Amino acid sequence: MELRQLKYFIEVAQREHVSEAAEHLHVAQSAISRQIANLEDELGVHLFEREGRNVKLTAIGKIFLTHSLTIMKAVDIAVEQIDAYLDPDRGSIKIGFPTSLASHLLPTVLSAFKEKHPQIAFQLRQGSYSFLIEAVKSREIDLAFLGPVPADDLTIQGKILFTERILALMPSNHILAERRSLRLRDLRNDSFVLFPKGYILQKIAYDACKQEGFLPNISSEGEDLDAIKGLVSAGMGVTLLPESTFYETVPKFTVKIPIENPVINRTVGVIIPKNRELPPSVHTFYKFVIEFFSILEKYQ
């Protein structure tokens, strides 16, 4: 079995058309047909069945496709790591991040790193809390910025970079808008604007309210920070957001107020896999991030 055969097989399986696969791969159609026939002879099964001019995977073909994709992904990762070891200053780093860290933390770190390592490239992937953790485990990304940092996953190594407070954001005409601080229970009769269920910031807000003896009345939901802030600005309710999400400005027609009781914090950090060695370029970036925030903390 050859990697070329797997490559041809995957292309035909995904396009369901031999001639289109041949055109995309810039090889003769007969060459693809021959290699797939050799692969089927070696396996002793039929991987495709014809449907007019198209081809469809057989039941065993679908199973083989899943394993073939895994094999090719592993080969791609191996080649990337070899390239990184041969030239650490020209590697490529796959970084994951959530929406709450996209506006300030990520650009700040990446721009500072690029000044020292201009030849290292980045591939960025935004995702939910659970997706980023699983993507690090499956090697889909090399590392991820997260908040809060998971503490109970034995396959993940988390490094806390800083801790920040969760603040209340409310319309500027809210009855409590003039307060310098407030208790979370003061908002028990308000409508809340939160992320949908499954988002970590929704869980943080929901759990904090529950611990104070009430469940938030969720009137509206938004899937990104701009949507959440916009709904609050429009008077649809109040919300709870990390302090770093207000780094540049507070949205128009809103005010942010610290919560003094209880104080709600979240850790923010970076996670890497615990059970495998990082490629040199990724290790360089990981060390840089830790040192960067260590220096930043001293100045603050």
Side-chain angles (χ1 to χ4, degrees):
M1 189 180 302
E2 303 175 6
L3 288 178
R4 177 179 55 176
Q5 292 174 331
L6 296 182
K7 182 179 179 181
Y8 289 178
F9 164 71
I10 291 171
E11 196 68 35
V12 173
Q14 292 178 334
R15 294 179 181 275
E16 297 185 341
H17 205 286
V18 177
S19 60
E20 288 183 7
E23 182 178 352
H24 179 75
L25 293 170
H26 304 291
V27 296
Q29 180 175 337
S30 58
I32 289 185
S33 298
R34 182 170 60 254
Q35 290 300 329
I36 289 179
N38 291 341
L39 181 60
E40 289 179 323
D41 287 342
E42 183 176 347
L43 294 172
V45 296
H46 289 294
L47 299 173
F48 294 100
E49 55 188 6
R50 287 201 166 274
E51 288 191 0
R53 294 185 177 182
N54 290 4
V55 292
K56 296 282 187 180
L57 286 169
T58 60
I60 194 64
K62 292 178 182 178
I63 295 173
F64 189 69
L65 175 61
T66 300
H67 292 291
S68 298
L69 290 169
T70 301
I71 291 170
M72 296 306 294
K73 181 179 178 180
V75 171
D76 289 342
I77 291 172
V79 171
E80 288 177 5
Q81 291 187 345
I82 291 171
D83 290 342
Y85 277 99
L86 291 175
D87 192 352
D89 289 327
R90 291 182 179 272
S92 180
I93 307 171
K94 294 182 287 243
I95 300 172
F97 64 96
T99 181
S100 64
L101 300 177
S103 62
H104 177 64
L105 181 144
L106 195 66
T108 301
V109 173
L110 296 189
S111 60
F113 182 78
K114 288 292 283 186
E115 287 183 6
K116 292 188 174 184
H117 306 276
Q119 301 302 318
I120 294 181
F122 295 111
Q123 299 177 40
L124 304 179
R125 180 72 181 273
Q126 183 174 321
S128 67
Y129 187 80
S130 57
F131 166 80
L132 294 174
I133 294 175
E134 291 305 316
V136 168
K137 293 180 183 180
S138 66
R139 301 190 178 191
E140 192 169 338
I141 55 178
D142 296 310
L143 51 77
F145 292 96
L146 272 187
V149 178
D152 55 355
D153 194 321
L154 299 179
T155 63
I156 292 294
Q157 177 179 324
K159 175 66 178 179
I160 296 174
L161 302 175
F162 62 91
T163 300
E164 63 177 341
R165 295 184 69 174
I166 304 294
L167 308 180
L169 182 71
M170 61 181 60
S172 53
N173 62 357
H174 193 282
I175 192 172
L176 303 177
E178 300 297 325
R179 291 268 196 96
R180 297 184 63 181
S181 64
L182 53 82
R183 300 171 302 169
L184 184 57
R185 279 186 57 80
D186 294 336
L187 303 177
R188 62 187 180 278
N189 296 322
D190 279 89
S191 296
F192 276 75
V193 179
L194 297 179
F195 284 87
K197 187 175 182 180
Y199 283 71
I200 192 64
L201 289 179
Q202 192 265 10
K203 185 178 188 305
I204 290 174
Y206 190 91
D207 288 349
C209 293
K210 188 176 180 180
Q211 289 174 9
E212 286 301 291
F214 71 97
L215 298 180
N217 174 28
I218 304 173
S219 63
S220 304
E221 295 182 341
E223 293 190 354
D224 58 62
L225 284 171
D226 288 339
I228 297 286
K229 292 176 180 178
L231 289 168
V232 174
S233 181
M236 299 301 295
V238 301
T239 193
L240 304 180
L241 291 175
E243 190 170 13
S244 62
T245 62
F246 303 110
Y247 181 81
E248 295 178 348
T249 58
V250 177
K252 288 183 178 180
F253 312 119
T254 68
V255 293
K256 64 174 184 178
I257 303 179
I259 300 171
E260 65 176 15
N261 186 20
V263 174
I264 311 168
N265 292 325
R266 78 160 180 174
T267 57
V268 176
V270 61
I271 61 170
I272 59 174
K274 186 179 288 186
N275 56 355
R276 65 177 183 270
E277 184 179 355
L278 296 177
S281 56
V282 179
H283 183 68
T284 298
F285 179 72
Y286 179 67
K287 285 181 58 180
F288 174 86
V289 169
I290 294 173
E291 292 170 4
F292 180 85
F293 280 93
S294 176
I295 294 171
L296 196 64
E297 185 178 13
K298 290 179 182 178
Y299 280 102
Q300 290 177 339

